[in-house]
Amino acid sequence: MEPIIVKYLVKPKLKDPVLIEGLPGVGNVGKISAEYLKEKLNAKPFVELYSKYLPPQVLMQNDGTISLVKNELCYYKNPNGRDLIILVGDYQGMSSEGQYELSYKVLEIVKEYGAKLIFTLGGYGTGQLVDKPRVFGAATHKELVEEMKKYGVYFSPTDPAGGIVGAAGLLLGLGSVVFDMKGVCLMGETSGYFSDPKSSYEILKIVKEYFNLELDLEEIALRSQEITEITTQLKEEQKSEERKEDLGYIG
Amino acid sequence: MEPIIVKYLVKPKLKDPVLIEGLPGVGNVGKISAEYLKEKLNAKPFVELYSKYLPPQVLMQNDGTISLVKNELCYYKNPNGRDLIILVGDYQGMSSEGQYELSYKVLEIVKEYGAKLIFTLGGYGTGQLVDKPRVFGAATHKELVEEMKKYGVYFSPTDPAGGIVGAAGLLLGLGSVVFDMKGVCLMGETSGYFSDPKSSYEILKIVKEYFNLELDLEEIALRSQEITEITTQLKEEQKSEERKEDLGYIG
Amino acid sequence: MEPIIVKYLVKPKLKDPVLIEGLPGVGNVGKISAEYLKEKLNAKPFVELYSKYLPPQVLMQNDGTISLVKNELCYYKNPNGRDLIILVGDYQGMSSEGQYELSYKVLEIVKEYGAKLIFTLGGYGTGQLVDKPRVFGAATHKELVEEMKKYGVYFSPTDPAGGIVGAAGLLLGLGSVVFDMKGVCLMGETSGYFSDPKSSYEILKIVKEYFNLELDLEEIALRSQEITEITTQLKEEQKSEERKEDLGYIG
Amino acid sequence: MEPIIVKYLVKPKLKDPVLIEGLPGVGNVGKISAEYLKEKLNAKPFVELYSKYLPPQVLMQNDGTISLVKNELCYYKNPNGRDLIILVGDYQGMSSEGQYELSYKVLEIVKEYGAKLIFTLGGYGTGQLVDKPRVFGAATHKELVEEMKKYGVYFSPTDPAGGIVGAAGLLLGLGSVVFDMKGVCLMGETSGYFSDPKSSYEILKIVKEYFNLELDLEEIALRSQEITEITTQLKEEQKSEERKEDLGYIG
């Protein structure tokens, strides 16, 4: 079989489109963000990618039917700016080689549609509860670093330590090295302990502003508020535990 | 070498055949079912598949000869309905990629023989002893879901949780996405702790009825009865243990 | 790179050659046997196989030079019968796929030289010290089973349990399925705890007789004797330990 | 995608160049050595290698930009002798197959530039603190062994035990078997517990002398001195600990 099966559903005409990626990862921040964009902008699937690099699995739907695990490109015609190609999916590639192959194939496809810019969305796991998640950035070119700073994105010489693993990194890396594209990775701070829409909310505010999107953020703001409440409660419990321990030492 | 070596033994003419898969898996429910069909219907092997995706191993026969691990397609000319192509085998593919490649190859072959329908058989592991195994279903198309419900197949929005892994899932997924086929997966409830012909029995009753087969179920009914006896005994022991524990607390 | 690099050193003419394989495995019984044959018969290397399926490693020689890990075919022109092609090597393939590919390639090569028969040599690990190692057999064809019984080879319906893994199995399996060859696997009983020339000795006696070889077995008989002494001593110590334990209970 | 993407930056003309490899490994001795050569000789990158055999990762730069993990060939035009091609990189291949493929590709490239000689640099981990690291050697040809002895390289029948794993071994192995090249591996003794410029220093002195390089060793000598101080201090502490223990026994 073809290692990656590309199934075109429709062939839209797109105007200077940007690729926006959000696949499963730390805190599912990227996945939540990209699927929110897809849903709220009513973006239409136009390419499905099936692959032996994905898990050998079908997923159950509520109606009793199954769906083979896939990645999917959806398009959104933006009346106020450049069009979007949104990459969502059930899984990332299972092996290093698979991750390279899948990212490369996505870049080949969006290149055909004229994409020259890439935004990859993800989480930056801190291992502790975060009150106000910052959005960290990384970019392929120095001028993009400067531009994104204006949108409140943090660029730190020490964060994210080491590097960016998976599609969020590879799309930018291969995009710039092989496909002459530019790109930005936005990483929302997250504990990494649970799916974190609060971190996604911070990312989406930047994406909305940058691309001038008619994007309703109300629902994700509500989900973000729920995370704030859970986090606050957890922190209270932690403090309470610590007080008990302190008293224990005194008593 | 060819990653998958396809050895045709004979080239039968088949009438609107259905592919029925039963490879090793949870409780070996699929394997037991498919091998029972093969044996009782006296289905004839016509394609052997050897592959580097299978374990590097030969199996010992009782007569001192060896047999390279393989998958095998057998055909059965059904006087009362559509013909069957039964997929049996020693192992499933060892890697994700191998599982995709093997399923794809099987679909290519049965497509040549005109197959448009697939039944995959397997176990649904519950992790606890089952009195009366239900048969859960999943299907590629909504109308098949409705049709199978008439045969007593359960379609639940929560079971099987997550998805269907391996050939039972991939044949349906790739079959519908790439080969324009339809299909059903039948999963018999099983504890998953041992090979479970009782679960297979429930599946085979449905398969027999659906395809109007002259299939003698007596032997599998007997083996099923044995499982019932073992299960009953195990449950008695469990209860007895619990009673002792309860008495212990009282005393 | 070519997945397997085949380097021909010379191209000998061989008379109805048999392939004899002995690669690293349980108790290194096969490797010791094949290397003993190579050395004592002064068999000449004529094909070297290098491969990415072998470990990424060079081995140090005593003179400070290095040698890339490889498999090697050596030929022996037998004045009293069919010629031999002996397969020796530093390692077996590291992955399942690698094992298939390497075995397939070896079969392709020896087929060119007219080989129709294969003997694979290995150990059969019993997990306990063996006084007089039996040689178990497996064969591709029923008539070979009968023939080898005359040479004292044991064919048991329960041993080796499960099957034969690696080149010793694959060469026979692929050889018979794809290359129309016949073959025998000889497995010497061994504890599997150490390199076991005693087990190899039992195999070599059969190989010598079967192929009518002018093979001096004196050295391996001596090494076998050493193993007998070590085994006897270990058994004495075990018994002594057990006696102490028994006394302990009494006292 | 191409499994290895070769990006030529410039195409220099080189005079009888030698390939000098230093990739990550034990004590990072090879990597430190090769990167020191690159920096101090102001060697220019001319080939970048990106590959699915490397980790699926981009690395963060201090300025907020990212760089896809890679291997890199740099050239140095040596006024006093043969030119150098220096191989540096972020990682070695992640799988055995990847290591073979990457080494093979590098050899193909440097062969085009007329390279007939290879020096691979690495660490030889001893697992204990080393006062004066020796440089062990291994070579493809006996005459190179003799030649390197004159430069103070140790050739021991027992060290390095087993063999040389990874690019340092494969470049020599494949280089001699497939590309008709000669080569030497220089391994500096190192504890292996930390990045060890002291071991690199010993290697670089030999490389400088052998290739008649205008190489300023002052900085690495200083870093080496720091390691000496740390080592001395650690040894003092060890001795002090032992004395305490001794006293403990006496008291």
Side-chain angles (χ1 to χ4, degrees), chain A residues 96-97 99-101 104 137-142 145 155 157 159-160 162-166 169-170 172-174 176-178, chain D residues 1-3 5 7 48 50-69 94-95 97-98:
Chain A
S96 298
E97 300 190 20
Q99 296 211 351
Y100 270 96
E101 293 285 0
Y104 196 94
T140 53
H141 295 72
K142 197 77 192 74
V145 173
F155 288 83
D159 292 309
I164 306 168
V165 175
L170 283 183
L172 298 194
L174 290 170
S176 59
V177 164
V178 182
Chain D
M1 63 177 286
E2 294 276 310
I5 295 170
K7 194 167 172 177
E48 291 172 355
Y50 300 93
S51 174
K52 67 178 187 182
Y53 301 127
L54 297 173
Q57 198 179 342
V58 294
L59 301 176
M60 299 293 296
Q61 316 294 313
N62 278 341
D63 65 357
T65 63
I66 53 98
S67 117
L68 185 56
V69 297
M94 295 196 79
S95 63
E97 299 190 20

Side-chain angles (χ1 to χ4, degrees), chain C residues 1-3 5 7 48 50-69 94-95 97-98, chain D residues 96-97 99-101 104 137-142 145 155 157 159-160 162-166 169-170 172-174 176-178:
Chain C
M1 64 178 285
E2 293 277 308
I5 295 170
K7 195 168 171 176
E48 291 172 355
Y50 301 94
S51 174
K52 68 178 186 182
Y53 302 127
L54 297 172
Q57 198 179 344
V58 294
L59 301 175
M60 299 293 297
Q61 316 294 311
N62 278 340
D63 65 356
T65 62
I66 52 98
S67 118
L68 184 57
V69 297
M94 295 194 80
S95 63
E97 300 189 21
Chain D
S96 298
E97 299 190 20
Q99 296 212 350
Y100 270 95
E101 293 286 358
Y104 196 95
T140 53
H141 294 73
K142 198 75 192 74
V145 173
F155 288 85
D159 293 307
I164 306 168
V165 176
L170 283 184
L172 298 194
L174 289 170
S176 59
V177 164
V178 182

Side-chain angles (χ1 to χ4, degrees), chain C residues 69-90:
Chain C
V69 297
K70 65 173 181 290
N71 281 196
E72 196 178 58
L73 294 171
C74 308
Y75 70 94
Y76 168 66
K77 290 185 158 290
N78 181 9
N80 309 317
R82 62 204 314 169
D83 292 341
L84 308 188
I85 297 175
I86 303 167
L87 171 60
V88 293
D90 303 310

